DNA sequence: CACTTCATATAGCGTTGCTATAGGTGCTAG
DNA sequence: CTAGCACCTATAGCAACGCTATATGAAGTG
């Protein structure tokens, strides 16, 4: 039940913190609990992690490895948008399986200070959306799409966590998921005229080209040309059709 | 600066707590700070509110009054879905104007314990969605729609709060908002698009953009810019894929 | 061996949320 | 007028918290 084994104290502290975090039903976890379970005294903790938050960050980093591993497990299916769906589901599953850890990762919000893990998750999703962008499946720049989807994904997961397990209705998740993916995809009802409501095909094509250009190191344009080119492309991509 | 006036201690405590909460940039607020600012000693706090959390709940309740007042201010416009849009925007505005209070209300998540304020907000939105449902504008039961929209609304607001104020991009909000509302509304014009297998490249994307640009009258670039842009596009389009 | 460096322990500081106990205040009853 | 009785507030202090100044041990290097 305790980690007094022959593992190094740093590892014991990490495991003890993770275990207590998982068991504490939302309540706070004290450094004294952690050090006692790890069979270590206080200064050891601060020597290795500097801070209580430092220790928690380390736990989060380990948890994030697991999260990312889950996100990358299923190789690209050739349909990027389908992969995004699985990323969403994996995100929700991760949150429901380890709610306390998830709350430390995504729920510990402070104004004007973004946890690193959020930025990483966003990058992961943007990366996947880029694949959708180069094939012209995206309606919106990948970054904006990633932020939007991730925001909804976190919101849904937090809401599901607050519900008691037996009452959890996962349809909330799938419905919100499909709504978001549909919204950013170019695969929408659209008349043939480019100036119909919704993004014009110019915008879609510009987004696709933008993503493709950044993925391939084309040497058809000089770097200064490319810079200006990309700026114009950005202007087109982010323009809203009035 | 202090509330030593002749107001009753209960009120002074509430105001002191609210003020300190608003000023503390995410950091914790101690009961001693509160009682000192209120010009009161500790037992008074616990007599009236029983608990630190009890005091915070009271502050939240007051904040929620303000929130609800904002939600109800604009009378029904006859278009329920338009009202939902304004509810969403009001929610985000409330969160950005008083981030600390918002975080206490919606960000203080614990597993399997739903804050009362969330349930209330959900009820408020469901009420409004009911009006849309009776006129046949809804695709989904009002309760599910409300839960889904609110989850995304909270997620977006939390994400915006973590961003530094000058960088906040409200398009994230409007885009997610419209996606959610569109998803639950029944007036969708469904159509499936010819999904080409993903074999796109820079060249294909450039050709698509080229065609699209010439078919539309985009005003995002000046004519001289456009001329150069098209020339570069041509260079990319006619290059061999590396 | 002398010396440095890293890692852990002893003991304790200041602050936290909270409370056992007691004292003051204003009310109504006799 | 006063006795009693709620109600409200203050004094003082507890246990637990995050954290640290300081000292001790172990391990490697000259």
């Amino acid at each position: 039940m305790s980690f007094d084994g022959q593992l190094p104290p740093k590892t014991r502290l990490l495991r003890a913190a993770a275990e207590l975090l998982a068991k504490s039903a939302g309540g706070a976890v004290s450094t004294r609990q952690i050090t006692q379970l790890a069979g270590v005294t206080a200064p050891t903790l601060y020597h290795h992690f500097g801070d209580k938050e430092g220790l928690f960050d380390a736990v989060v980093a380990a948890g994030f490895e697991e999260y990312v591993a889950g996100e990358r497990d299923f190789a690209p299916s050739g349909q990027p948008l389908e992969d995004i769906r699985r990323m969403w589901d994996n995100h929700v599953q991760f949150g429901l399986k380890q709610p306390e850890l998830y709350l430390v990762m995504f729920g510990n919000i402070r104004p004007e200070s973004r946890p690193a893990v959020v930025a990483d998750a966003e990058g992961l999703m943007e990366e996947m959306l880029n694949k959708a962008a180069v094939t012209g499946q995206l309606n919106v720049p990948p970054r904006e799409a990633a932020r939007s989807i991730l925001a909804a994904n976190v919101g849904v997961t937090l809401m599901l966590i607050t519900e008691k397990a037996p009452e959890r209705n996962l349809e909330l998740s799938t419905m919100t998921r499909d709504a978001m993916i549909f919204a950013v995809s170019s695969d929408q009802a659209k008349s043939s005229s480019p100036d119909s409501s919704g993004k014009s095909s110019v915008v879609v094509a510009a987004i696709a080209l933008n993503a493709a250009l950044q993925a391939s190191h084309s040497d058809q344009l000089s770097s200064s040309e490319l810079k200006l080119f990309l700026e114009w492309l950005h202007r087109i991509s982010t323009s809203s059709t009035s």
Side-chain angles (χ1 to χ4, degrees), chain A residues 155-232:
Chain A
V156 163
T157 306
L158 288 177
M159 183 138 306
L160 283 176
I161 286 179
T162 67
E163 289 178 19
K164 291 172 185 172
E167 305 175 5
R168 277 176 194 149
N169 184 5
L170 284 179
E171 207 171 337
L172 166 66
S173 171
T174 64
M175 172 181 155
T176 313
R177 178 197 68 185
D178 292 341
M180 292 309 302
I181 292 180
F182 180 79
V184 302
S185 75
S186 55
D187 177 20
Q188 306 183 12
K190 189 176 11 175
S191 64
S192 49
S193 145
D195 265 353
S196 69
S197 69
K199 300 286 186 181
S200 72
S201 56
V202 176
V203 174
V204 174
I207 289 169
L209 178 57
N210 201 339
L213 258 183
Q214 295 187 347
S216 81
H217 306 68
S218 170
D219 54 354
Q220 299 305 314
L221 300 177
S222 76
S223 66
S224 57
E225 284 174 343
L226 184 60
K227 188 179 169 191
L228 190 52
F229 187 87
L230 288 177
E231 184 191 322
W232 292 348

Side-chain angles (χ1 to χ4, degrees), chain A residues 59-80:
Chain A
V59 174
V60 163
F64 189 70
E65 294 294 324
E66 184 184 345
Y67 171 76
V68 170
E71 296 286 44
R72 293 203 192 277
D73 243 11
F74 32 80
S77 68
Q79 284 199 314

Side-chain angles (χ1 to χ4, degrees), chain A residues 60-61 63-64 67 94 100-108 115 117-118:
Chain A
V60 163
F64 189 70
Y67 171 76
F94 181 82
E100 336 283 345
L101 181 58
Y102 183 86
L103 286 180
V104 175
M105 290 171 66
F106 291 95
N108 227 358
V117 65
V118 174

